[in-house]
Amino acid sequence: VVYDLLSRVGGAAGEADWRSCAACALTLEIFSQVDPSLLVPHVATLAAYTEPEAQQRLAASRTRILYHVFVIIERAAPLLTAPAPEFVLRLERDLNTVVYTAANMLNVHGALRALCAVVMRVSGHVDILRLLYGELAGAVEVHARSSGWSRPPERSYPARVDEPRAKLSRALFALGLLCRYCDVDELDRGVERSHLAADLYRFVCLRSRSATLASMACQGFSAMWIRYQTLVVDNEEVIRRCLQSASDRVTVEVLKGLCAFLNDERERVEAAAGMGGSAGPPLTDPLRDEERGEEEDDDEDDDAAETVARAPQHEDTGLVGSVLHSHLKRILALATASAGAVRQRALECVETAVLQGLVHPGDCCPAVVALLADPNKSTATRAKRLVLYLERHFAEFFWNRLAEGMRRAMGLHVKLAQKNPVPGTTAGSSADASFLAPVLELARKRKTTLQNRFLHPALRLFDPDLGAWRNARGLIFLMHHLLILVFRQEEEVLHLIYLANHFVSLQGSTVAKELDAVLREEQKATVQTAERNERLVQCALRAFALDLLLTLKSSLRSAYGLTGTACKTYHPHGSSSTRSCEKPELGRAVAALQSCEETAQIVGAVPADGDAEATFLRTCAELVTTLEQHMDEDEDDFEGYTAGIGRRRRPVTGARPKAVSAEKKRKALAKSGSNPPKKRKRKTVCMPKDGTIASSDDDYDMA
């Protein structure tokens, strides 16, 4: 098989053949990873591809064939038995030439890997590496000296090269790779070559005004971290400033370096424990195993729940754990950045850290849930696989942080919409499937999970007592994705409508009166003030959040053909309906979204002129009218919700309810002829304005 694959690589012509040859070369590289001895008899054949003529022919294919060949040589050449000195010298010369002349930096990377392996493990000709280091470091030092850098006198650095032939960008890229694949400090005892490279990289990363040079410096510097791990700890400030850089390219290179650092440490630990080798990652992927596990029975859910308490091992796991915890907060923030490449690399870092147990899974859940809404399909698919893994092994943490993940998804959508606005489209109208669909499938395992841990947190984001009402466009985005969810049973839709009635009934009257009072003050005021305008906008946005719930309710009723009687008679603790849902008709829902988008533009900012102010006030008056009509029409829904409840949570706004004395309670019960209820010891959970959970033992009677 190896012989046939090699013959296919050598006899290609045309674009279609090049793609086939690239696949054959990749297959050979995988063979060399599993058993390098398979490729040892063919090292001489592969060495022919390092010659200049073969490089020109293969480079024209715009594929990774040359890189695969170099990696195979790196793994197979050290196993050669008594190779001819002329062959080894010619191979080293050709690989050294590739480092200086290859146009593709990926081929430079592969040539350096192969050259270091041949020199350090076959020939021992360290003069080639010593000269190569001098050329690369000299090019970087010339640039650094022109910007004000000078060598510290206390360091024993190697001799300076004043006229290097390597170009600056190539030197920045290749110097770190040379330090990664070869211990440059061992080339000469007492010469601190790694310290010189680190000082040069540190200076260029922090002082360079060119984003291209800074990104190349970050790429080379991060390659050094794998061999010299203490550099990651010593340069925390450099990494922090690069992660906060205005250039996305610099941020991407640092994230790639951190991810490679974590993966290399995992391979080293697995090799030391006898779980695998240093050739590459394990052949099994935990995330792909999760996708296969979803097709199995759900009998293991209880076992997974039992492991929640002991599975998250986020204690300091040594150098890698301390490094990751230093930058975890920034990496999680970059997971919802505006640049797609930054989000993708941040997700890779988070995924690697979660699978290795280096971070607490609850800290990563919101960012992963938010990336389900990523417009890049590859990033969203990767986030979905990680969501399946988190829910299966850390269900409690996942469901507790789900609402925060939805909130971050709303923020990501608004950020991307501001960066690339698409005229004539509503928020999220281009999506063909809801980003919450994977979460809905996970929640269907248990009815209580679906109702209390998925639908309730999603609708609670519309609550005016929480801060999400400030993000009007984000709420429209969330409403749209709730609408396009594919519900299987009528009970799921009825519960969503029930929750919408629940929140509007509890807060609608208060919000409508507050907005009406502010509008009356605005009509009487003669002078506009910033505080009054800000208060008016806040009241309008709170009312708009409840108006979105009413729109969601009406859209669901029309889409699924539900009657008013079915909505009013539904109760979550009543008899469950197993009636299946038909495919919804969302034509009217899209028109409603367009209207909501226009309303959000009006109430989202203080009006700038007279016409805008008149439109703003008219829209606010319409919101008040809509809420008042709902409170009048759906009074039965509110009464049905409050009937039979002996106590309720303390209202978030307004004064605390006046305490009723025991004597008055006794007289009221005697007058009604009913027996006094037995007092139950029970805690009531209250939700203050700031969103934190507080416990109270006080009883709040409906009387």
Side-chain angles (χ1 to χ4, degrees):
V1 173
V2 171
Y3 181 81
D4 292 340
L5 291 173
L6 282 172
S7 62
R8 289 289 302 273
V9 173
E15 187 66 24
D17 287 344
W18 284 124
R19 295 178 181 177
S20 176
C21 289
C24 295
L26 175 60
T27 306
L28 289 171
E29 182 188 336
I30 296 174
F31 284 179
S32 69
Q33 177 182 354
V34 178
D35 187 2
S37 61
L38 290 173
L39 278 300
V40 171
H42 307 283
V43 171
T45 304
L46 294 170
Y49 293 105
T50 63
E51 299 177 357
E53 296 79 7
Q55 291 176 33
Q56 294 177 2
R57 186 170 64 88
L58 290 177
S61 66
R62 299 188 300 276
T63 61
R64 299 165 60 101
I65 296 179
L66 270 178
Y67 178 77
H68 298 318
V69 170
F70 292 145
V71 174
I72 295 171
I73 293 175
E74 175 201 10
R75 294 169 178 167
L79 302 180
L80 290 172
T81 304
E86 297 81 5
F87 166 75
V88 175
L89 284 175
R90 185 171 64 254
L91 178 60
E92 292 174 344
R93 184 185 66 248
D94 292 340
L95 291 173
N96 192 45
T97 304
V98 173
V99 175
Y100 286 106
T101 60
N104 190 344
M105 291 295 107
L106 186 64
N107 294 336
V108 175
H109 185 179
L112 275 171
R113 293 181 61 172
L115 178 61
C116 292
V118 172
V119 170
M120 302 303 296
R121 301 173 64 182
V122 178
S123 67
H125 299 154
V126 295
D127 290 340
I128 297 177
L129 299 181
R130 191 182 294 116
L131 180 61
L132 178 60
Y133 175 89
E135 293 287 340
L136 298 176
V140 181
E141 187 174 358
V142 168
H143 169 73
R145 287 205 314 268
S146 64
S147 301
W149 182 82
S150 60
R151 289 190 175 194
E154 67 275 7
R155 293 287 192 183
S156 56
Y157 286 158
R160 188 169 61 193
V161 179
D162 293 327
E163 295 182 359
R165 59 176 176 145
K167 295 182 179 180
L168 177 59
S169 59
R170 186 182 299 269
L172 287 171
F173 175 78
L175 179 60
L177 292 172
L178 178 61
C179 296
R180 171 183 176 179
Y181 294 109
C182 170
D183 191 354
V184 293
D185 291 335
E186 296 295 328
L187 299 180
D188 289 308
R189 295 290 183 178
V191 180
E192 301 175 339
R193 285 187 169 85
S194 64
H195 288 86
L196 173 60
D199 289 345
L200 291 173
Y201 276 130
R202 189 182 301 109
F203 180 84
V204 176
C205 288
L206 297 180
R207 298 292 185 87
S208 178
R209 297 181 180 180
S210 171
T212 302
L213 293 180
S215 63
M216 298 292 284
C218 290
Q219 192 171 1
F221 194 23
S222 62
M224 293 185 62
W225 301 345
I226 296 177
R227 180 174 290 273
Y228 306 98
Q229 297 185 353
T230 56
L231 289 176
V232 187
V233 180
D234 298 338
N235 295 275
E236 282 192 8
E237 180 63 20
V238 178
I239 298 175
R240 183 186 64 81
R241 292 177 60 177
C242 290
L243 287 175
Q244 296 175 351
S245 173
S247 173
D248 294 334
R249 296 178 60 182
V250 174
T251 305
V252 166
E253 294 302 333
V254 175
L255 290 173
K256 287 170 59 178
L258 288 174
C259 193
F261 176 74
L262 296 176
N263 284 325
D264 183 80
E265 183 64 20
R266 172 183 58 80
E267 295 172 13
R268 185 181 293 111
V269 170
E270 289 179 354
M275 297 171 58
S278 59
L283 297 180
T284 59
D285 189 343
L287 296 184
R288 295 195 183 276
D289 294 341
E290 289 305 316
E291 290 183 346
R292 290 192 291 267
E294 287 300 314
E295 302 175 0
E296 300 174 355
D297 245 348
D298 294 332
D299 297 337
E300 303 176 3
D301 289 344
D302 297 336
D303 298 335
E306 293 177 0
T307 62
V308 168
R310 64 176 184 271
Q313 301 174 358
H314 62 286
E315 298 88 355
D316 190 346
T317 55
L319 181 65
V320 179
S322 62
V323 168
L324 190 63
H325 279 278
S326 300
H327 307 289
L328 179 62
K329 185 176 180 180
R330 180 58 183 168
I331 293 175
L332 292 176
L334 291 174
T336 52
S338 57
V342 175
R343 296 195 302 273
Q344 184 178 9
R345 294 300 178 181
L347 178 59
E348 291 179 8
C349 284
V350 172
E351 175 187 313
T352 304
V354 169
L355 295 181
Q356 296 184 29
L358 299 175
V359 296
H360 195 289
D363 297 336
C364 304
C365 286
V368 178
V369 172
L371 288 177
L372 290 175
D374 196 293
N376 188 342
K377 291 186 177 180
S378 61
T379 304
T381 302
R382 190 168 197 146
K384 177 183 175 182
R385 292 167 55 197
L386 189 53
V387 161
L388 297 177
Y389 176 84
L390 289 170
E391 197 278 336
R392 190 174 184 85
H393 296 281
F394 314 106
E396 288 297 323
F397 299 121
F398 174 78
W399 293 112
N400 288 340
R401 304 300 298 274
L402 177 61
E404 187 177 347
M406 295 181 191
R407 187 194 293 260
R408 293 195 64 177
M410 292 159 49
L412 174 62
H413 166 76
V414 174
K415 189 183 301 182
L416 296 180
Q418 292 175 350
K419 182 180 179 181
N420 299 313
V422 180
T425 60
T426 58
S429 61
S430 59
D432 53 355
S434 174
F435 78 96
L436 295 173
V439 184
L440 176 62
E441 293 298 326
L442 294 172
R444 282 198 176 110
K445 295 179 181 179
R446 298 183 181 90
K447 178 181 176 181
T448 55
T449 302
L450 174 64
Q451 295 181 354
N452 301 332
R453 309 195 113 185
F454 174 55
L455 296 180
H456 188 275
L459 270 293
R460 186 164 175 76
L461 291 174
F462 295 85
D463 193 338
D465 291 334
L466 300 181
W469 52 266
R470 300 178 184 274
N471 188 357
R473 294 179 179 273
L475 289 178
I476 297 175
F477 167 78
L478 180 60
M479 184 185 73
H480 173 75
H481 281 266
L482 288 173
L483 277 174
I484 62 178
L485 279 174
V486 180
F487 294 104
R488 296 177 182 173
Q489 295 183 357
E490 190 178 90
E491 182 183 7
E492 299 173 350
V493 187
L494 289 173
H495 190 77
L496 197 56
I497 295 175
Y498 170 83
L499 289 175
N501 279 332
H502 167 90
F503 287 111
V504 177
S505 299
L506 287 179
Q507 301 288 344
S509 179
T510 304
V511 172
K513 291 179 180 179
E514 184 179 4
L515 180 57
D516 185 56
V518 174
L519 288 175
R520 294 180 186 277
E521 292 179 5
E522 186 69 20
Q523 293 176 357
K524 297 178 181 179
T526 56
V527 180
Q528 296 290 336
T529 61
E531 295 180 359
R532 186 183 294 110
N533 290 336
E534 181 66 21
R535 184 186 175 193
L536 180 59
V537 172
Q538 290 182 4
C539 293
L541 288 175
R542 287 159 58 89
F544 177 67
L546 294 181
D547 183 68
L548 287 179
L549 286 179
L550 297 179
T551 305
L552 175 64
K553 169 190 171 182
S554 60
S555 300
L556 287 173
R557 286 183 56 179
S558 62
Y560 289 92
L562 300 176
T563 62
T565 304
C567 297
K568 288 185 178 182
T569 56
Y570 170 79
H571 194 276
H573 302 297
S575 59
S576 59
S577 172
T578 58
R579 181 180 175 184
S580 302
C581 288
E582 298 180 357
K583 185 176 181 181
E585 297 292 338
L586 299 176
R588 295 178 59 184
V590 174
L593 283 173
Q594 183 67 39
S595 176
C596 293
E597 185 77 16
E598 296 173 357
T599 305
Q601 294 178 359
I602 296 174
V603 302
V606 178
D609 52 22
D611 295 339
E613 182 179 2
T615 305
F616 181 87
L617 295 177
R618 184 174 62 253
T619 304
C620 292
E622 292 174 355
L623 291 175
V624 173
T625 304
T626 302
L627 291 178
E628 290 178 347
Q629 289 179 353
H630 172 78
M631 299 305 297
D632 294 337
E633 295 173 358
D634 288 1
E635 186 177 359
D636 293 338
D637 290 353
F638 181 68
E639 290 178 356
Y641 167 72
T642 57
I645 297 182
R647 58 189 176 187
R648 60 179 178 180
R649 69 177 189 180
R650 182 186 306 173
V652 179
T653 58
R656 176 171 175 169
K658 185 181 297 184
V660 182
S661 64
E663 182 65 22
K664 290 185 177 180
K665 289 183 180 180
R666 187 184 62 79
K667 291 182 179 180
L669 290 172
K671 186 177 181 179
S672 60
S674 55
N675 296 324
K678 295 181 180 180
K679 187 174 182 180
R680 294 177 299 175
K681 293 183 178 180
R682 179 179 169 187
K683 282 190 175 183
T684 302
V685 178
C686 305
M687 179 67 69
K689 280 187 177 180
D690 56 359
T692 58
I693 299 295
S695 296
S696 172
D697 292 326
D698 299 334
D699 292 336
Y700 300 101
D701 296 340
M702 291 303 295

